Amino acid sequence: MRLDKFLCEVNTGTRSQVKEFLKKGQVTVNSAVVKNADFKVNENTDEIYFQGKRLCYQHFVYYMLNKPGGVVSATRDNTSGTVVELLREEDRRKDIFPVGRLDKDTEGFLLLTNDGELTHRLLTPKKHVDKTYLVTLEREATDEELLRLEQGVDIGEEKPTLPGKAERAGDRKILLTIHEGKFHQVKRMFQAVGNRVIALKRVSFGGLELDDSLNPGEYRELTEDEVRILHDA
Ligand code: URA
C-alpha cells in the first residue's frame, strides 16, 4: 500500500499532516528516510518508523464496549453521542463500526470492529448467534410468561420468535437468551406476554461474556482467543 495511506491508517495524522511529516523526513522505511507519499510499502514486513517509533499495522481491530445508556449504536449522529465517539482518539480509526445495534437506552456488550466479513457472519439471520440480556421488568414475570418466551412469541413478524432461554436473576430480573436480532426484539417479546422492560443490558454475545471490569462507556480489545470464539460462533 502507499506509505501515506499506511500512515493514515495507523493514525499518525490526517492526510495533510502525514504529508508534512514525510516532507520533514520524520518517516523511515527499513532504516531509510522516505519523503515520497506514494512510496509502496509492505505493511506486514517493512519496518516503518515515525519520529523514532515503530508503527505496527493491524488490519482488523475488535473492541468489546460496555455501551452506556444515552448513546446511539452508529458511527455518526446529528443529535446524540455515538458508540464510536467513546473510543479514544488513537483507537478511533475511520473504518470502525458497531456490529448490530443496541437501543439508545440499552447498555452492555457491543462489539466494535472494522472486520466487515465477520460482522456479516455474526449478523446474518441464518446464523442464530446467541445473545443474552439481563432484563429488568416492571413487575415480576410469571412462570407462564417465561414458558411462552422460551417457546417463542408472536411479535408481529412473519413468524414467532425462535425458542430461547429465560432464567430468573432476581425479583424483577430475567436473563433472556435469544438467537435473533429483530428490531427492539426483547422489549417486544416481553410486551407480547403482557409485561414491560424498564432496563436492558446485553451481557453476552456470540459466546463471549461482557467483561465485568468494564464500566459503562469503557472498552478493551478482544484477545486472540476471543476473536477466534467469535469467528466460530
Ligand atoms: N432488544 C431490544 O428490545 N433492545 C435492544 O437494544 C436489544 C435487544
Side-chain angles (χ1 to χ4, degrees):
M1 75 165 62
R2 284 171 59 114
L3 179 56
D4 58 353
K5 181 163 189 281
F6 171 89
L7 292 167
C8 285
E9 290 243 356
V10 298
N11 279 323
T12 49
T14 61
R15 209 133 190 134
S16 57
Q17 286 171 325
V18 159
K19 252 196 197 134
E20 280 305 306
F21 298 146
L22 286 166
K23 241 201 259 170
K24 288 185 189 151
Q26 294 179 334
V27 180
T28 62
V29 180
N30 302 327
S31 307
V33 171
V34 177
K35 297 190 170 182
N36 188 356
D38 66 9
F39 184 85
K40 295 288 183 301
V41 292
N42 181 328
E43 64 276 13
N44 297 312
T45 54
D46 285 338
E47 287 189 13
I48 303 164
Y49 281 76
F50 166 60
Q51 295 177 344
K53 269 205 256 159
R54 173 98 190 253
L55 300 175
C56 285
Y57 186 72
Q58 195 190 6
H59 189 44
F60 292 132
V61 291
Y62 307 90
Y63 297 116
M64 173 191 291
L65 169 72
N66 184 357
K67 178 190 173 297
V71 296
V72 294
S73 303
T75 51
R76 250 181 284 146
D77 192 87
N78 288 335
T79 52
S80 303
T82 71
V83 288
V84 169
E85 287 163 7
L86 293 170
L87 297 178
R88 287 182 288 276
E89 211 170 309
E90 65 267 27
D91 294 332
R92 210 182 303 151
R93 294 168 49 135
K94 285 193 241 37
D95 54 357
I96 291 183
F97 47 84
V99 176
R101 279 167 192 272
L102 292 177
D103 296 339
K104 189 171 175 182
D105 58 351
T106 299
E107 295 188 1
F109 189 164
L110 187 64
L111 179 69
L112 302 178
T113 185
N114 56 347
D115 185 340
E117 202 186 310
L118 177 69
T119 300
H120 177 72
R121 279 197 278 133
L122 290 170
L123 295 182
T124 181
K126 280 182 234 139
K127 276 279 177 179
H128 303 157
V129 168
D130 284 4
K131 298 144 193 119
T132 302
Y133 295 87
L134 180 63
V135 186
T136 307
L137 294 169
E138 192 172 58
R139 61 164 177 77
E140 194 172 350
T142 63
D143 288 345
E144 199 216 317
E145 283 168 11
L146 297 189
L147 190 65
R148 286 181 60 199
L149 291 165
E150 289 201 331
Q151 289 172 338
V153 287
D154 178 2
I155 57 169
E157 301 276 333
E158 233 172 84
K159 290 184 186 161
T161 57
L162 289 174
K165 193 156 180 255
E167 294 167 275
R168 292 187 191 278
D171 275 357
R172 288 180 295 124
K173 289 192 191 293
I174 300 293
L175 274 173
L176 181 71
T177 301
I178 58 173
H179 315 288
E180 305 145 288
K182 303 234 160 66
F183 184 62
H184 293 329
Q185 179 159 342
V186 175
K187 291 173 184 165
R188 287 160 71 199
M189 286 174 75
F190 278 93
Q191 194 179 19
V193 299
N195 210 321
R196 196 167 80 86
V197 173
I198 57 171
L200 194 56
K201 177 177 181 178
R202 184 154 70 187
V203 293
S204 96
F205 176 72
L208 299 182
E209 307 273 314
L210 176 65
D211 183 334
D212 59 15
S213 71
L214 294 173
N215 290 315
E218 292 182 345
Y219 67 96
R220 69 157 171 82
E221 250 188 273
L222 294 189
T223 63
E224 281 179 21
D225 280 349
E226 287 173 329
V227 173
R228 224 168 289 129
I229 290 170
L230 280 183
H231 275 280
D232 294 343

